Amino acid sequence: MKTQKLSIATVLILAFSVAITTMSKAEKPIRLAVAGMSHGHISFILGRPDKGDFELVGVCDTNRVLTRNVKVRYELPAEIIYHNLEKMLDETKPEAVVAFGSIFDHLSVVEACAPRGIHVMVEKPLAVNMEHAKQMAELAEKHDIFLLTDYETSWYPTTAQSLKMVREDDFVGNLRKVVIHDGHRGPKEIGCDRFFLEWLTDPVLNGGGAIIDFGCYGANLMTALTNGQEAVSVTAVTRQFKPDVYPKVDDEATIIVSYPEAQCIIQASWNWPFSRKDMEIYGDEGYIYALNRSDIKFRGADVSSEVQKKITPDDIPVYEDPFAYFADVIHKKIVQPEYGLYSLKNNLEVVKILDAARESARTGRAVFF
């Protein structure tokens, strides 16, 4: 499979240039609301320093104990706390919403926001299943809103560098195998609170355990690496190594996604001895290993021995703040790549792969598209 060369770096460089030249103090901050407070990543937005690009106008969750806790923790004014999403949207009139509730709730957030013309960013993955994902995509298209999905690995300089080397520089040649490891010791083991655990370990509200929580990263990255090439089949195996801790969902998953000329192996786990997010990319002419957000090593046809480097935003354009990316998309300062990491098309493919992986694990058979 010969990878298509697309000028990702060029697009990002131009985006940064446009953003710098067009941003002014007179530009009004985007009115932003938060739908759901139970996701442990909510600190990403409520703990974010004020950069002048957003004005927080509302925060909503139906759980009054949780809203009280969040209000105290982040010193939020009482007047922006809501317990009904539609009431919050009608009274505060946000231009954008970020969703920090369960994955199952993503559909209801888009159902409320899209008809009101409000742009939405959800935490990964896009949806619990393809039925929800398709409805969300249809609403976004019908009402002409942006619908983005946020992954931590989208912020990594090594991710941007890897994509450039594969898709623009043709560094590895024909893509053959990608191995992606994501996860940690387990959500309970790392200290996730009870509000987060209640839905993260629920097969309906989260769609599964580790297979969803960390399987989505690999599907997202591989879809970007292949520029949206459709998979041929998906085979998955899940395990419950800790049924006493996670009785309802898997805590270990291996997903093999087959393409016409390549293969992706996604290892998602709540059993790693340490937290990890790394990616190995192999082609017929070289390899790239992104060890974390900043360390990378590689070897290619014109490189006699392995090179190890640290990659920073000074080396390659990358948004290390997903909300800054969201703001620039809304302001139309940048155009998302069709199968970019945040894009709707990419994340529809992610949910399709996860749906197939869940079915394969259940039946013990490969799922063919």
Side-chain angles (χ1 to χ4, degrees):
M1 179 181 64
K2 197 72 173 179
T3 54
Q4 184 177 356
K5 294 183 180 180
L6 296 179
S7 186
I8 303 169
T10 302
V11 169
L12 283 171
I13 289 167
L14 289 172
F16 272 72
S17 176
V18 170
I20 290 169
T21 56
T22 59
M23 176 67 75
S24 71
K25 292 182 180 179
E27 186 173 68
K28 285 186 177 181
I30 296 166
R31 295 177 61 81
L32 179 75
V34 179
M37 302 185 192
S38 58
H39 200 300
H41 294 173
I42 195 170
S43 60
F44 294 166
I45 187 66
L46 295 185
R48 180 180 186 258
D50 185 2
K51 300 180 180 181
D53 49 0
F54 289 107
E55 176 191 359
L56 184 65
V57 297
V59 181
C60 177
D61 199 284
T62 57
N63 189 313
R64 292 178 182 270
V65 175
L66 177 58
T67 54
R68 184 169 63 249
N69 292 349
V70 172
K71 176 183 177 296
V72 172
R73 179 181 176 186
Y74 295 101
E75 301 179 342
L76 300 175
E79 59 267 23
I80 71 166
I81 304 296
Y82 288 83
H83 302 101
N84 179 281
L85 177 59
E86 296 203 351
K87 182 180 180 182
M88 178 184 73
L89 299 179
D90 289 339
E91 291 188 0
T92 65
K93 302 189 183 309
E95 299 165 81
V97 161
V98 287
F100 283 96
S102 75
I103 309 305
F104 187 89
D105 288 342
H106 287 175
L107 173 58
S108 62
V109 171
V110 175
E111 286 177 329
C113 291
R116 293 172 169 84
I118 301 168
H119 306 294
V120 179
M121 173 182 273
V122 302
E123 281 294 293
K124 57 80 186 172
L126 173 68
V128 290
N129 55 45
M130 277 306 293
E131 181 182 351
H132 277 209
K134 287 178 180 178
Q135 290 180 60
M136 292 164 68
E138 288 169 1
L139 283 164
E141 183 177 358
K142 178 180 178 180
H143 298 286
D144 194 26
I145 66 163
F146 294 115
L147 176 54
L148 280 65
T149 305
D150 175 40
Y151 296 78
E152 181 185 335
T153 43
S154 301
W155 325 335
Y156 288 8
T158 51
T159 297
Q161 181 68 28
S162 298
L163 285 168
K164 178 181 182 298
M165 292 175 74
V166 171
R167 290 176 48 183
E168 290 184 42
D169 302 342
D170 200 23
F171 183 82
V172 300
N174 293 297
L175 194 63
R176 294 299 186 217
K177 180 175 290 188
V178 179
V179 185
I180 300 171
H181 313 95
D182 287 294
H184 46 48
R185 292 181 294 118
K188 186 172 183 180
E189 288 84 347
I190 67 170
C192 293
D193 66 36
R194 65 184 178 89
F195 302 105
F196 195 9
L197 287 172
E198 279 175 5
W199 66 261
L200 188 61
T201 60
D202 185 290
V204 175
L205 299 180
N206 193 49
I211 193 171
I212 303 298
D213 190 30
F214 285 113
C216 61
Y217 283 96
N220 174 246
L221 290 164
M222 188 62 175
T223 302
L225 285 167
T226 61
N227 195 34
Q229 184 177 41
E230 188 174 9
V232 174
S233 67
V234 175
T235 306
V237 177
T238 57
R239 296 290 300 275
Q240 274 186 309
F241 289 135
K242 295 179 284 195
D244 53 327
V245 182
Y246 308 110
K248 298 180 181 179
V249 294
D250 65 278
D251 53 61
E252 189 77 24
T254 299
I255 306 168
I256 301 174
V257 189
S258 295
Y259 295 84
E261 297 180 8
Q263 181 184 82
C264 181
I265 302 168
I266 301 167
Q267 298 187 32
S269 178
W270 288 348
N271 292 290
W272 294 117
F274 48 82
S275 298
R276 65 185 303 186
K277 288 185 174 73
D278 56 271
M279 170 173 59
E280 303 169 41
I281 303 168
Y282 301 95
D284 55 10
E285 295 179 6
Y287 67 80
I288 303 164
Y289 187 4
L291 287 77
N292 48 50
R293 69 182 303 136
S294 58
D295 296 297
I296 194 169
K297 56 185 181 181
F298 51 85
R299 184 175 179 181
D302 298 325
V303 181
S304 59
S305 60
E306 184 177 86
V307 175
Q308 297 191 41
K309 291 183 67 175
K310 281 195 176 293
I311 306 296
T312 74
D314 291 332
D315 301 307
I316 189 162
V318 62
Y319 281 83
E320 292 192 292
D321 180 343
F323 308 109
Y325 184 89
F326 190 27
D328 282 354
V329 168
I330 292 170
H331 283 306
K332 298 184 178 178
K333 293 177 179 177
I334 58 173
V335 177
Q336 297 182 83
E338 186 177 22
Y339 287 97
L341 297 166
Y342 294 90
S343 78
L344 184 54
K345 280 192 174 182
N346 180 310
N347 287 286
L348 284 168
E349 191 67 21
V350 170
V351 179
K352 179 180 175 182
I353 289 169
L354 294 179
D355 256 8
R358 221 172 8 218
E359 178 66 10
S360 174
R362 185 185 70 83
T363 63
R365 299 175 181 175
V367 174
F368 290 85
F369 297 126

